[in-house]
Amino acid sequence: MSAYPFARRTLIGLALAGAALPIAASAQGPKPADLLGATGEAYFTDWLNDYYARALAGGTPKAVLDRELSGISPDPRVGLHDAGQPEFARPVSAYIQGVVSADRIAIGQKKRVSITQFPAIEARYGVPREILIGIWAMESGFGAQQGDMDIIRCLATLAALGRRRAWAEGELTAALKIIASGEASRAQLKGSWAGAMGQTQFIPSAFLSTAVDGDGDGKRDIWNSAPDALASAANLLDKGGWRRGEAWAREVILPRTFDYGLAEGPKELPGWWESKGARRADGQAWNKADADAPAQLLLPCGLNGPAFLIFQNHLAIRTYNNSVAYALGVGLLADRMAGGGPLKTPWPKETPLSLTDRMDAQTALQKLGFNPGQPDGVIGLGTRQSLRAWQKAKGLPADGYLSPDMIARLKAEVAGK
Ligand code: CA
């Protein structure tokens, strides 16, 4: 048996191909620009032969490997997408205002009643239809934009690039397993460059473990059947810890004297938050399920923006996509589809921060002894907690929100030392 069925080609054209695109090299793999040019594929072929041998040993049928991987080449578009974070991070306020649009709300309100399987899906998984429609809207525009890229080729490219090799190989093997099982053909395995497929954008491993038949025809077809895709999303949220009958979040109003340092901190019952001065923005009383559910305070834009008490179901949405902004988008879209009004506290106007600004702020916090972790330009929980500690030390409201003003103050303090 030959373990190396894929011939390595020559490297002609690499230098020219690499000249045009200013893309950062990935940590372990070749430069994404190396993907350009029909013949600059040596690293890809080397990876492919290695993967082929391991997949074969791991049980993927030889006939499937030979048929699906023969003649495969890297997709240069994947390398462009995978090359790293953009220079400017989109502020959460702009993102949410784009997500929660009037046309999406109107379409979603029609889908709430037109999809006849919703009562059965809600009864089985306990996830309200509006949350599922919110995910469906965000993932594929209600099924209209599922992505038309060849999943096998995209995952092979990601694996060969190396930055997320183990993950991509696992998903590639799962995709080949779907084909081998006959549940979907190669032609059907279309989706996004990152391997997400169908109306609710499942990666292959999630399809295998979690997709379900929602329309009762005996097949799991997340590409052509909206009920299948929506029931599968409900199953994913259920597995992710969705709690039946509880809210995902409630907007609250905080007094100006509030201790903003409590944001992203303790998980306490709504009554505890009320004792600290928080009030539900809609003026309604807490229902029984919410009153007994621990909640965390979230200030996505700091003290000048809307405040939320977020419940376990916010985290369940994040099993789908582990982003605070994504979960806010899904939840707020769902609330509007269910008939809720706009937020009582409007989104503030935010200034997009450059990568340099974000890294400068992290470096300053590090120099000042507040340990935000290795500066990487990603303003995650570690950076926000570090910023809160510095704000407290300075007697500032400790909302953990990195504004241009905070960056200027941090830099000034470092310069003054
Ligand atoms: Ca079905």
Side-chain angles (χ1 to χ4, degrees):
M1 172 196 91
S2 166
Y4 300 98
F6 306 102
R8 185 171 168 162
R9 298 185 211 171
T10 61
L11 286 165
I12 301 164
L14 259 186
L16 280 176
L21 290 152
I23 304 160
S26 54
Q28 294 109 13
K31 295 188 193 74
D34 292 353
L35 287 173
L36 303 176
T39 54
E41 300 166 353
Y43 80 92
F44 184 82
T45 313
D46 288 349
W47 165 80
L48 187 58
N49 282 310
D50 185 56
Y51 170 76
Y52 179 96
R54 285 183 286 115
L56 196 61
T60 305
K62 184 173 188 302
V64 172
L65 286 168
D66 288 345
R67 186 179 68 235
E68 305 304 337
L69 299 182
S70 287
I72 196 169
S73 62
D75 188 329
R77 294 172 295 175
V78 173
L80 297 178
H81 281 295
D82 194 42
Q85 54 174 314
E87 172 61 17
F88 282 91
R90 192 173 186 205
V92 64
S93 56
Y95 171 81
I96 297 290
Q97 288 171 94
V99 163
V100 187
S101 65
D103 58 328
R104 271 191 176 159
I105 294 166
I107 295 169
Q109 285 174 332
K110 286 188 186 135
K111 300 287 188 189
R112 292 175 77 224
V113 288
S114 68
I115 294 175
T116 57
Q117 290 86 354
F118 270 138
I121 294 171
E122 288 175 330
R124 175 151 188 199
Y125 300 104
V127 184
R129 66 190 68 184
E130 292 83 7
I131 292 286
L132 302 174
I133 300 171
I135 287 172
W136 191 26
M138 304 267 281
E139 295 296 329
S140 71
F142 309 97
Q145 298 121 29
Q146 301 182 29
D148 61 356
M149 294 176 78
D150 175 7
I151 291 291
I152 297 287
R153 189 180 178 207
C154 289
L155 290 169
T157 307
L158 282 171
L161 280 170
R163 193 166 68 84
R164 294 189 287 171
R165 175 162 294 165
W167 175 86
E169 285 191 356
E171 293 304 323
L172 175 58
T173 303
L176 292 168
K177 193 170 176 182
I178 294 170
I179 295 173
S181 74
E183 274 201 280
S185 66
R186 171 74 173 271
Q188 203 169 1
L189 289 195
K190 292 285 191 328
S192 81
W193 67 272
M197 318 180 294
Q199 301 200 23
T200 41
Q201 297 283 283
F202 270 41
I203 55 175
S205 63
F207 177 88
L208 286 173
S209 67
T210 307
V212 292
D213 174 25
D215 60 14
D217 71 349
K219 296 180 189 135
R220 306 188 290 177
D221 185 351
I222 59 171
W223 298 271
N224 300 302
S225 166
D228 283 11
L230 293 161
S232 299
N235 190 28
L236 191 74
L237 263 56
D238 184 27
K239 286 184 173 190
W242 185 273
R243 291 164 66 103
R244 195 180 285 254
E246 284 182 18
W248 68 277
R250 296 287 183 198
E251 187 191 0
V252 290
I253 305 289
L254 306 172
R256 272 285 150 180
T257 52
F258 190 82
D259 177 6
Y260 295 99
L262 292 169
E264 296 186 281
K267 289 186 179 175
E268 297 286 353
L269 300 182
W272 186 88
W273 290 105
E274 287 196 336
S275 77
K276 301 286 173 196
R279 294 284 177 272
R280 259 180 79 157
D282 61 9
Q284 295 189 29
W286 298 97
N287 68 27
K288 176 87 178 82
D290 293 348
D292 291 339
Q296 213 172 12
L297 179 68
L298 187 67
L299 303 171
C301 301
L303 60 84
N304 290 317
F308 303 91
L309 287 186
I310 55 171
F311 297 92
Q312 164 63 28
N313 287 341
H314 168 93
L315 295 175
I317 298 171
R318 282 170 58 180
T319 59
Y320 214 101
N321 181 336
N322 191 17
S323 146
V324 172
Y326 176 87
L328 276 175
V330 168
L332 293 173
L333 197 49
D335 286 353
R336 296 297 301 276
M337 287 175 192
L343 294 174
K344 290 289 188 293
T345 302
W347 293 100
K349 178 134 184 65
E350 291 183 283
T351 307
L353 303 177
S354 72
L355 182 59
T356 311
D357 279 347
R358 284 175 274 146
M359 291 192 63
D360 283 355
Q362 289 174 320
T363 305
L365 284 166
Q366 201 173 43
K367 283 184 179 159
L368 296 169
F370 289 91
N371 186 28
Q374 193 58 35
D376 59 0
V378 178
I379 307 304
L381 183 59
T383 305
R384 294 194 296 273
Q385 301 289 37
S386 158
L387 180 60
R388 275 189 197 102
W390 173 80
Q391 287 173 321
K392 266 185 190 158
K394 295 282 121 188
L396 297 165
D399 64 356
Y401 179 66
L402 188 63
S403 62
D405 178 44
M406 287 301 129
I407 295 172
R409 286 172 186 248
L410 281 165
K411 286 163 109 171
E413 187 175 342
V414 169
K417 286 220 160 193

